[in-house]
Amino acid sequence: MGHLSISHIYRQFANAPDKVDITGAQMVLVMKLTGFCWNVYDGRLKQEDLADFQKERALLQLPGLLDFTGFVLYFPSLFAGPSFDFVDYQRWITTTMFDLPQGTDPRHAPRTRKQRKIPRSGTPAVFKALAGLLWIFLFLKFSAWYNTELVLSSPYMNYRLLRRIWILAMLGFTTRMKYYGVWHLTEGACILSGLGYKGIDPQTGRARWNRLENVNPWGIETAQNTRAYLESWNKNTNNWLRNYMYLRVTPKGKRPGFRATLATFVTSAFWHGFYPGYYLSFLLAAFLQTVAKNFRRHVRPFFLTPDGQRPTKHKIYYDVASYLTTQLAFCFTTAPFVLLTLSASLLVWSRVYFYAVIGTAASMAFFASPGKSWLIRQQNARQKDFKWMQQQKQQQQAVSPGLKLEHPIMGGGLPSDPGKELDDAVREIKEEVEIRKKKGMSVSMPKGADMKAAVGRKIGREL
């Protein structure tokens, strides 16, 4: 990380786009080497002290020099990623990655060439390559219309606010196209070598090639919350940050909180370089993610049934609002990541009136106020009413099928235990019959409609 930082500083001060930049390859190496160190460390710990993801990646023995060098310098992902752990490389080299799961019919195994164990990967690799070339072509076209020069120019302020926000969103989309293209090409190369293999799809029975998928454009452009957005972007870097930073700074036995989130985003910014724009983006993103968690935890339940199992008829409005909010918030948040400098970032933010900063701050203030407690009370009351209604339905179903109640449940109109009330009424009728028999009266136990009428008179309502 120290050597990478020196290269970042040199690149920043040299500011020479026409020169060869090695920081991209160094960033990939940092992910591989730090992950490798943690895997070796986990291999020295007791198994019972490890989480599942640690057990899967722990290295009990150091690999040979040749294997280690091949892992570090794996060419298809050397310059732009994706990154991966040594265990994946080891399973690929030993071809154990391609073993069929137990119970799988060998006839359903993916096709291979001659004696090779690696399934045929030419077709999915070509599709990835074509998709990558298409994204790069679109980037070249869109970058002529939406670029940093436009949002920094004076004519940009001639547009209305909504148009300026739209241009800012399109600038972010255009920038993402470049990464979509590069990552699709590198993933295609990994698939062609076989390292992208991820077993057999149990539904289709076909080989899956998404082990090293680094980006999901559809998932990003349709994301309705920060989690879906971030999980679809730079996936392998997110895995690295989650497994070797987010979960590592969290004390054992506790859930990760805001501190872990902030530490992870700051580390990500430090790893990217020292341009102020990186730190503006990742710092705001940390607060944005915390706000999103609060909304999902305390607001979203009101658009679901009280048991949380089904959406209400108003859920569509929440989905639309969350989609627009997520996309607009991230196009604002990621602008400094593109602009890089502090002055340019603050200038563009000011031209859209810092709307995401204000919205995030207002949301943080609300959830730190009694408003959060009020939402919790409303949720609890809603769930309490739902549970009461469920209990009433169960009690109503407990009534004898032959004694159908004509009146629906109306607040306190039905006793808490109608089955017991009916049993008591029948018992009282029996006692009265026995008393009359002892007095010498000729009576018998009522049956059918007579019994129903007698019980109704006892409980004070018609059955």
Side-chain angles (χ1 to χ4, degrees):
M1 186 70 89
H3 191 268
L4 172 63
S5 299
I6 294 173
S7 299
H8 277 317
I9 294 172
Y10 176 80
R11 176 175 69 97
Q12 185 171 340
F13 282 96
N15 194 24
D18 58 324
K19 302 295 183 182
V20 176
D21 180 18
I22 64 171
T23 56
Q26 285 184 297
M27 292 166 73
V28 177
L29 288 177
V30 165
M31 287 192 289
K32 284 186 175 181
L33 293 177
T34 53
F36 179 83
C37 291
W38 277 114
N39 297 153
V40 173
Y41 173 77
D42 291 339
R44 304 295 188 268
L45 300 178
K46 296 180 180 179
Q47 288 291 305
E48 57 267 23
D49 295 334
L50 301 178
D52 291 339
F53 82 91
Q54 293 174 287
K55 294 178 182 178
E56 182 183 354
R57 296 167 174 81
L59 295 177
L60 303 180
Q61 295 181 346
L62 288 175
L65 181 60
L66 181 61
D67 286 347
F68 178 75
T69 305
F71 161 67
V72 172
L73 300 179
Y74 175 73
F75 185 74
S77 68
L78 178 62
F79 296 105
S83 176
F84 48 87
D85 288 316
F86 182 80
V87 292
D88 293 324
Y89 179 81
Q90 192 174 46
R91 292 168 186 164
W92 174 63
I93 286 294
T94 60
T95 68
T96 56
M97 176 185 290
F98 310 104
D99 292 342
L100 292 177
Q102 292 184 355
T104 303
D105 189 341
R107 293 176 299 178
H108 296 159
R111 292 189 303 168
T112 60
R113 291 186 180 277
K114 298 182 179 179
Q115 300 300 318
R116 292 184 67 192
K117 290 192 67 174
I118 300 177
R120 294 185 178 184
S121 57
T123 300
V126 168
F127 280 133
K128 283 292 180 181
L130 292 177
L133 293 174
L134 176 61
W135 281 117
I136 291 176
F137 172 76
L138 292 174
F139 165 72
L140 294 175
K141 296 295 291 183
F142 276 70
S143 60
W145 305 325
Y146 303 102
N147 47 62
T148 56
E149 289 77 12
L150 173 60
V151 296
L152 293 172
S153 65
S154 298
Y156 178 65
M157 291 303 294
N158 294 333
Y159 299 113
R160 295 180 180 273
L161 176 61
L162 292 180
R163 180 70 181 276
R164 295 201 297 270
I165 294 176
W166 166 258
I167 293 174
L168 191 63
M170 291 303 298
L171 173 64
F173 177 55
T174 302
T175 304
R176 290 194 295 274
M177 288 183 188
K178 175 175 62 176
Y179 293 97
Y180 292 164
V182 171
W183 285 336
H184 273 74
L185 290 175
T186 56
E187 185 190 351
C190 293
I191 291 174
L192 194 60
S193 72
L195 190 55
Y197 180 75
K198 198 179 180 181
I200 300 175
D201 190 325
Q203 296 181 348
T204 63
R206 297 183 178 181
R208 293 182 297 184
W209 294 97
N210 61 341
R211 176 181 294 276
L212 297 181
E213 183 181 69
N214 211 29
V215 68
N216 178 6
W218 178 256
I220 292 172
E221 306 305 333
T222 61
Q224 296 181 10
N225 54 72
T226 58
R227 181 177 180 179
Y229 194 102
L230 295 175
E231 286 184 348
S232 298
W233 171 260
N234 207 355
K235 292 182 177 182
N236 294 286
T237 299
N238 286 335
N239 291 337
W240 171 67
L241 288 169
R242 181 182 65 250
N243 294 334
Y244 304 120
M245 173 54 63
Y246 184 71
L247 297 177
R248 302 287 177 164
V249 300
T250 303
K252 187 176 180 180
K254 294 186 178 181
R255 296 180 60 183
F258 176 70
R259 291 182 181 179
T261 300
L262 186 60
T264 302
F265 278 109
V266 170
T267 300
S268 181
F270 186 74
W271 174 72
H272 278 88
F274 296 97
Y275 280 105
Y278 295 150
Y279 294 86
L280 286 177
S281 289
F282 287 114
L283 185 62
L284 180 56
F287 287 97
L288 198 65
Q289 191 172 34
T290 300
V291 168
K293 287 180 180 178
N294 279 320
F295 269 100
R296 188 169 182 84
R297 187 175 301 162
H298 301 297
V299 176
R300 184 174 179 268
F302 290 100
F303 296 89
L304 303 174
T305 54
D307 59 356
Q309 300 298 315
R310 299 179 304 280
T312 65
K313 63 180 181 180
H314 303 297
K315 178 66 163 48
I316 183 63
Y317 302 113
Y318 176 86
D319 291 340
V320 172
S322 61
Y323 168 75
L324 293 175
T325 302
T326 299
Q327 297 297 327
L328 292 177
F330 269 104
C331 81
F332 179 95
T333 303
T334 57
F337 197 90
V338 180
L339 299 166
L340 299 179
T341 65
L342 180 63
S343 58
S345 300
L346 294 179
L347 174 63
V348 171
W349 274 6
S350 67
R351 288 182 167 184
V352 289
Y353 305 118
F354 295 95
Y355 69 84
V357 174
I358 295 173
T360 302
S363 299
M364 292 285 289
F366 175 80
F367 287 110
S369 72
K372 180 178 178 179
S373 301
W374 179 81
L375 288 175
I376 294 175
R377 289 196 302 271
Q378 293 299 313
Q379 284 187 44
N380 293 338
R382 195 163 172 258
Q383 293 174 356
K384 184 177 179 181
D385 291 342
F386 177 78
K387 290 179 180 178
W388 182 86
M389 290 295 295
Q390 291 296 102
Q391 291 174 356
Q392 294 299 313
K393 288 181 180 179
Q394 293 174 0
Q395 292 170 359
Q396 187 179 28
Q397 292 172 357
V399 177
S400 175
L403 301 176
K404 182 179 178 181
L405 296 176
E406 294 183 358
H407 299 286
I409 298 174
M410 296 291 291
L414 188 69
S416 59
D417 193 347
K420 183 176 181 302
E421 184 189 37
L422 294 174
D423 292 338
D424 292 341
V426 172
R427 186 172 57 256
E428 290 178 10
I429 294 173
K430 287 182 179 180
E431 291 175 353
E432 291 179 2
V433 170
E434 293 297 326
I435 292 173
R436 291 182 181 180
K437 284 183 177 180
K438 290 180 180 180
K439 292 181 178 181
M441 297 181 181
S442 178
V443 292
S444 60
M445 193 69 179
K447 297 180 181 180
D450 294 335
M451 182 61 173
K452 185 177 178 180
V455 172
R457 288 193 296 269
K458 286 291 182 183
I459 65 176
R461 62 175 178 271
E462 184 179 358
L463 299 178

